[in-house]
């Protein structure tokens, strides 16, 4: 039987351990981590969305005593969704002594930054971009599954959800790298799944009049349309398709799932719209960790940002995971704020290289290409609630990974 | 970050001078972004795919682009004023679309793997080109170019081959833009066609106009000021583009001939 003195001793020990952790965290210099986000300009919504996830992760790490007694200090730089700025800011972070850089978020910026991360020997983690083949081991890794797995997996579910679809048109932005890469992935996946591609329709980021493309799509008389382009471009295209009363299902790759603006603006043009993703704000979808994150994220982002409501949770949890992953590696490698920056960078690089699987909010499998894999699913736009929901119930979803060699 | 700013300031000085050289003969080019792209891709292909060292690759890229620029100038310079602006803008669009559809250089995906450009390369070139322009500004050739710029018909009547000199200037400007592009590509490590859109050409002209086009120092000052200004006002966040634009508009209203409007006098003009 425990005496009252035992309880008091235990309580004192706990209080002491808590205060000791606090004192240690205060006495050691912070661990500096850099982030690159578009905080101003047309893509500022993306920055606000992902920055909230990063801040939430920093708060969680520091509330738990930091990393081996050092607090995390996050320095966010604004690249305005501009690849040249991303490169400059990446160099700035490296020269400022951060142990790793999270971002930049766009595929174009990531493609520009990944080689520089290797040249400057500073780890960089991307958790948003989609274009396949642009991560560069060992220093530049991406947690987000690229389109070479998302499109085949998602299109398989699209096929299952809409078995009447046999003939498709592929449309996309041929000028933008992620859009163009998505078009090719659609073509490969369609051939593999036995879908007949009856036509290809291309437009460009600069396009303002989508009516000729919409007419071409309609005249192809296909069962469905597969689209690959960034949110603002896709929005113009699907609005034109709605004007021309195109009433077939439209599948757009995850370029429209990410971000907050598209789903809030698509309106009735989204009534037959699908996308690809791995998380929604729905409950009981088989990932309790994400449900918990979703609740906390909405409360936090609702208070700290001016994002239009409802906030699209999309892949924000992956940004949260990226920082948690770095913190976990640093803890395991006994790195703190006193460790030399180059040593900390090498430790993170080695930790990432050794990582095969990661289980945080998301379960991520790391591929040899330096990209993460998370099973992609088909999501449908619910226009009236301005949100994405799973198109199929959990039991009917396809959970067979498609992992190209 | 300071090294990056210095590097890009140097690149922009070269680009501003590439416009200045063309302006010397009274022409205006909105194609220098395209020439920059041609130099960037040509030098990138030569170093990445053919293994050439950086400096010979830059020299070959500049020579090729200069010849292409001169060849394009021959028909383009038959037009003047707003028509010439439209033709040169068209060249920029054409080059961008061509690069987007050329699989050999990566298409929209871009070209990567370049490296090796340093501040020494850029400022060595700035010093060389600056010295060349300084000698030019004190030479008889400058007087001939002044004459062609002020009145091409009178200059021709005096026996000057105005079209030839304009083509030479256009080709030299294209070659200089190509050198800047080659260095840019080997500093950035990765380039795509969208890096060289029409906006780049507009900015390059703006550097020259902002600083003043009557002497070689004006474009240099304009390029440095407009490269560093956005960084100095980075703290203004989303207000930055508005403040940047307002500064340009106000300064061009107050000083329509640019920050340094004086004309460089040639040696002959200085004699009593």
């Amino acid at each position: 039987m425990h005496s009252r003195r035992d309880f008091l001793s235990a309580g004192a020990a706990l209080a002491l351990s808590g205060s000791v952790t606090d004192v240690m965290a205060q006495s050691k210099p912070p661990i500096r981590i850099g982030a690159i986000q578009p905080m101003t300009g047309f893509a500022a919504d993306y920055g606000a969305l992902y920055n909230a996830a990063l801040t939430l992760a920093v708060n969680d790490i520091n509330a738990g005593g930091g990393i081996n007694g050092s607090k995390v200090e996050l320095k966010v730089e604004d690249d305005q969704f501009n690849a040249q700025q991303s490169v400059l800011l990446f160099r700035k972070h490296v020269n400022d002594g951060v142990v790793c850089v999270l971002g930049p978020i766009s595929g174009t910026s990531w493609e520009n930054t990944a080689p520089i991360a290797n040249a400057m020997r500073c780890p960089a983690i991307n958790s948003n971009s989609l274009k396949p083949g642009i991560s560069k081991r060992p220093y530049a890794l991406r947690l987000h599954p690229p389109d070479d797995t998302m499109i085949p997996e998602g299109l398989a579910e699209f096929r299952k959800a809409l078995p009447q679809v046999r003939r498709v048109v592929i449309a996309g932005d041929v000028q933008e790298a992620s859009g163009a890469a998505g078009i090719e992935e659609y073509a490969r996946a369609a051939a593999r799944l036995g879908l007949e591609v009856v036509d290809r329709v291309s437009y460009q980021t600069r396009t303002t009049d989508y009516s000729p493309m919409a007419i071409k799509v309609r005249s192809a008389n296909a069962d469905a349309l597969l689209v690959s382009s960034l949110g603002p471009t896709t929005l113009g295209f699907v609005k034109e398709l709605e004007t021309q009363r195109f009433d077939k299902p439209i599948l757009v790759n995850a370029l429209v799932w990410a971000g907050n603006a598209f789903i809030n603006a698509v309106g009735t043009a989204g009534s037959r719209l699908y996308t690809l993703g791995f998380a929604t704000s729905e409950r009981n979808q088989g990932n309790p960790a994400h449900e918990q994150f979703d609740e906390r994220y909405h409360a936090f982002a609702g208070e700290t940002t001016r994002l239009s409501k409802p906030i699209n949770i999309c892949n924000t949890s992956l940004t949260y995971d990226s920082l948690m992953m770095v913190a976990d590696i640093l803890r395991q490698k006994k790195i703190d704020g006193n460790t030399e920056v180059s040593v900390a960078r090498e430790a993170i690089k080695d930790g990432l290289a050794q990582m095969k699987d990661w289980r945080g909010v998301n379960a991520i499998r790391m591929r040899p290409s330096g990209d993460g894999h998370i099973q992609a699913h088909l999501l449908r736009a619910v226009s009236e609630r301005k949100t994405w929901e799973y198109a199929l119930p959990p039991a009917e979803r396809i959970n067979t990974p498609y992992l190209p060699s | 970050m300071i090294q990056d700013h210095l590097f890009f300031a140097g690149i922009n000085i070269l680009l501003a001078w590439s416009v200045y050289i063309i302006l010397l003969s009274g022409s205006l080019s909105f194609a220098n972004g395209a020439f920059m792209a041609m130099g960037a891709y040509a030098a990138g292909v030569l170093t990445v795919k053919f293994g050439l060292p950086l400096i010979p690759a830059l020299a070959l890229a500049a020579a090729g682009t200069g010849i292409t620029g001169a060849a394009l100038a021959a028909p383009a310079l038959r037009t003047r004023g707003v028509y010439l602006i439209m033709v040169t803008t068209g060249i920029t669009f054409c080059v961008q679309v061509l690069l987007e559809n050329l699989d050999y250089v990566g298409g929209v995906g871009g070209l990567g793997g370049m490296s090796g450009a340093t501040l020494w390369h850029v400022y060595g070139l700035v010093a060389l080109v600056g010295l060349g322009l300084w000698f030019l500004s004190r030479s008889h050739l400058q007087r001939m170019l002044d004459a062609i710029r002020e009145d091409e018909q009178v200059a021709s009547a005096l026996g000057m081959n105005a079209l030839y000199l304009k083509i030479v200037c256009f080709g030299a400007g294209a070659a200089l833009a190509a050198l800047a592009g080659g260095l840019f590509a080997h500093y950035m490590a990765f380039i795509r066609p969208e890096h060289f859109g029409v906006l780049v050409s507009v900015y390059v002209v703006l550097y020259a106009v902002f600083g003043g086009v009557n002497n070689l120092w004006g474009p240099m000052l304009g390029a440095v000021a407009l490269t560093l200004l956005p960084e100095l006002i980075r703290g203004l966040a989303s207000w930055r583009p508005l403040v940047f634009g307002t500064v340009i508009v106000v300064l061009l209203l107050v000083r329509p001939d640019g920050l340094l409007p004086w004309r460089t006098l040639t040696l002959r003009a200085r004699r009593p």
Side-chain angles (χ1 to χ4, degrees):
Chain A
M1 188 179 234
H2 296 289
S3 68
R4 191 174 167 219
R5 184 178 290 177
D6 288 339
F7 275 116
L8 284 173
S9 310
L14 268 174
L16 199 61
S17 70
S19 58
V20 165
T21 316
D22 281 350
V23 169
M24 277 173 65
Q26 281 163 16
S27 63
K28 286 185 177 179
I31 293 177
R32 286 190 287 177
I33 293 175
I36 302 173
Q37 307 275 356
M39 303 305 293
T40 57
F42 79 99
D45 257 23
Y46 289 93
L49 197 71
Y50 297 120
N51 199 36
L54 281 177
T55 312
L56 192 60
V58 171
N59 292 349
D60 286 354
I61 293 166
N62 288 342
I67 299 170
N68 300 320
S70 287
K71 297 268 187 194
V72 168
E73 191 179 284
L74 185 73
K75 180 82 196 295
V76 183
E77 293 285 359
D78 171 21
D79 70 351
Q80 299 184 313
F81 219 71
N82 177 322
Q84 192 171 325
Q85 284 294 314
S86 306
V87 170
L88 293 178
L89 294 169
F90 184 85
R91 289 184 205 270
K92 180 177 188 292
H93 273 316
V94 175
N95 294 330
D96 287 350
V98 301
V99 296
C100 81
V101 179
L102 306 176
I105 71 163
S106 84
T108 308
S109 292
W110 180 241
E111 198 167 8
N112 280 264
T113 309
I116 292 163
N118 281 279
M120 299 187 86
R121 303 172 76 85
C122 178
I125 302 177
N126 174 286
S127 32
N128 314 81
S129 74
L130 289 178
K131 187 186 171 189
I134 56 174
S135 297
K136 299 259 184 269
R137 278 186 182 273
Y139 286 93
L141 271 71
R142 162 171 53 184
L143 302 188
H144 204 288
D147 266 344
D148 63 349
T149 60
M150 285 199 93
I151 284 182
E153 291 169 356
L155 193 59
E157 262 191 31
F158 184 71
R159 186 88 207 274
K160 185 176 181 183
L162 303 160
Q164 76 279 11
V165 172
R166 293 271 187 276
R167 292 154 44 85
V168 295
V169 171
I170 299 175
D173 184 347
V174 290
Q175 192 189 30
E176 195 275 321
S178 302
I183 293 170
E184 296 310 316
E185 294 299 336
Y186 272 135
R188 274 193 281 275
R192 213 169 53 81
L193 293 164
L195 293 169
E196 184 192 352
V197 180
V198 292
D199 205 351
R200 282 197 191 199
V201 177
S202 59
Y203 45 86
Q204 299 192 342
T205 313
R206 290 188 288 259
T207 303
T208 49
D209 178 11
Y210 294 94
S211 52
M213 299 81 175
I215 290 167
K216 201 170 176 214
V217 169
R218 284 193 63 194
S219 60
N221 201 24
D223 304 321
L225 172 65
L226 312 178
V227 178
S228 174
S229 50
L230 287 167
T233 319
T234 307
L235 194 60
F237 186 44
V238 297
K239 292 272 185 190
E240 179 61 33
L241 286 165
E242 184 191 30
T243 305
Q244 295 199 19
R245 299 186 182 171
F246 179 77
D247 58 358
K248 303 288 169 50
I250 304 170
L251 172 64
V252 191
N253 58 354
L255 288 169
V256 298
W257 173 53
N260 201 47
F262 181 87
I263 191 64
N264 272 283
V266 71
T268 50
S271 59
R272 285 176 197 81
L273 197 71
Y274 297 84
T275 190
L276 312 172
F278 47 81
T280 69
S281 286
E282 296 168 272
R283 295 292 174 258
N284 303 316
Q285 299 299 313
N287 185 357
H290 190 272
E291 287 173 28
Q292 204 182 20
F293 171 80
D294 181 88
E295 202 168 303
R296 294 180 61 225
Y297 178 85
H298 275 108
F300 183 75
E303 274 176 25
T304 58
T305 71
R306 286 183 291 175
L307 287 162
S308 32
K309 312 286 187 307
I311 296 172
N312 179 26
I313 193 79
C314 60
N315 51 8
T316 49
S317 56
L318 214 48
T319 305
Y320 179 89
D321 271 344
S322 66
L323 188 47
M324 287 304 192
M325 184 186 277
V326 170
D328 199 34
I329 292 170
L330 290 171
R331 272 191 208 106
Q332 283 175 27
K333 304 270 182 186
K334 310 267 185 275
I335 304 290
D336 60 25
N338 286 316
T339 313
E340 205 177 306
V341 170
S342 60
V343 175
R345 287 175 183 167
E346 287 302 302
I348 295 171
K349 183 262 287 179
D350 293 340
L352 291 171
Q354 288 156 8
M355 191 169 287
K356 300 277 181 274
D357 295 286
W358 160 262
R359 185 165 281 278
V361 176
N362 300 283
I364 308 162
R365 180 189 296 181
M366 291 309 295
R367 294 166 54 194
S369 62
D371 300 316
H373 175 265
I374 303 170
Q375 184 75 34
H377 294 292
L378 185 68
L379 311 180
R380 68 183 178 89
V382 185
S383 306
E384 59 275 18
R385 289 204 297 278
K386 298 180 177 178
T387 185
W388 296 105
E389 289 184 356
Y390 285 102
L392 294 172
E396 289 179 32
R397 286 178 213 150
I398 299 173
N399 281 304
T400 314
Y402 177 80
L403 293 168
S405 53
Chain B
M1 196 67 173
I2 287 171
Q3 182 186 319
D4 290 325
H5 291 148
L6 288 175
F7 187 90
F8 286 109
I11 293 286
N12 289 337
I13 290 170
L14 294 173
L15 288 169
W17 276 343
S18 76
V19 168
Y20 170 71
I21 291 171
I22 296 170
L23 278 166
L24 280 177
S25 64
S27 308
L28 178 59
S29 167
F30 278 86
N32 285 33
F35 298 137
M36 184 191 180
M38 288 160 72
Y41 272 92
V45 166
L46 289 170
T47 54
V48 174
K49 301 202 179 201
F50 293 94
L52 246 65
L54 176 61
I55 292 174
L58 285 175
L60 282 174
T65 309
I67 292 166
T68 311
L72 288 170
L77 291 176
R78 290 174 189 276
T79 59
R80 287 159 203 268
V82 72
Y83 301 103
L84 180 59
I85 290 172
M86 288 170 73
V87 168
T88 51
T89 307
I91 292 171
T92 302
F93 278 118
C94 288
V95 169
Q96 193 180 354
V97 172
L98 185 73
L99 291 170
E100 282 169 1
N101 290 289
L102 220 56
D103 289 337
Y104 182 70
V105 294
V108 286
L111 179 71
M114 295 78 75
S115 63
T118 62
L119 273 181
W120 290 108
H121 288 114
V122 175
Y123 282 94
L125 194 60
V126 166
L128 268 177
V129 176
L131 205 61
L133 287 175
W134 187 73
F135 276 117
L136 173 70
S137 70
R138 299 165 70 85
S139 70
H140 297 301
L141 183 58
Q142 171 82 46
R143 289 165 70 86
M144 290 167 75
L145 291 170
D146 285 347
I148 291 167
R149 184 174 59 186
E150 294 305 323
D151 196 325
E152 194 179 327
Q153 284 182 333
V154 171
S156 298
L158 289 169
M160 295 175 208
N161 190 339
L163 183 63
Y164 171 75
L165 281 174
K166 287 174 89 167
I167 289 173
V168 167
C169 284
F170 206 91
L176 188 53
L179 284 172
L183 287 169
F184 171 82
H186 287 78
Y187 190 75
M188 291 295 284
F190 190 88
I191 49 169
R192 322 166 68 116
E194 67 187 39
H195 287 155
F196 309 100
V198 73
L199 205 60
V200 173
S201 298
V202 173
Y203 265 104
V204 172
V205 172
L206 188 63
Y207 297 150
V209 173
F210 188 79
V213 295
N214 291 327
N215 59 71
L216 76 106
W217 309 110
M220 186 176 177
L221 181 66
V224 172
L226 293 185
T227 306
L228 299 184
L229 184 64
E231 298 308 320
L232 293 174
I233 58 172
R234 185 173 276 279
L236 296 172
S238 52
W239 292 98
R240 197 160 63 129
L242 181 70
V243 173
F244 182 64
T246 308
V247 168
I248 291 171
V249 170
V250 169
L251 269 170
L252 288 180
L253 282 172
V254 175
R255 296 181 77 92
D257 289 331
L259 291 171
L260 304 175
W262 71 79
R263 257 172 209 277
T264 308
L265 296 178
T266 59
L267 281 175
R268 195 181 178 88
R270 284 165 199 264
R271 282 181 200 152

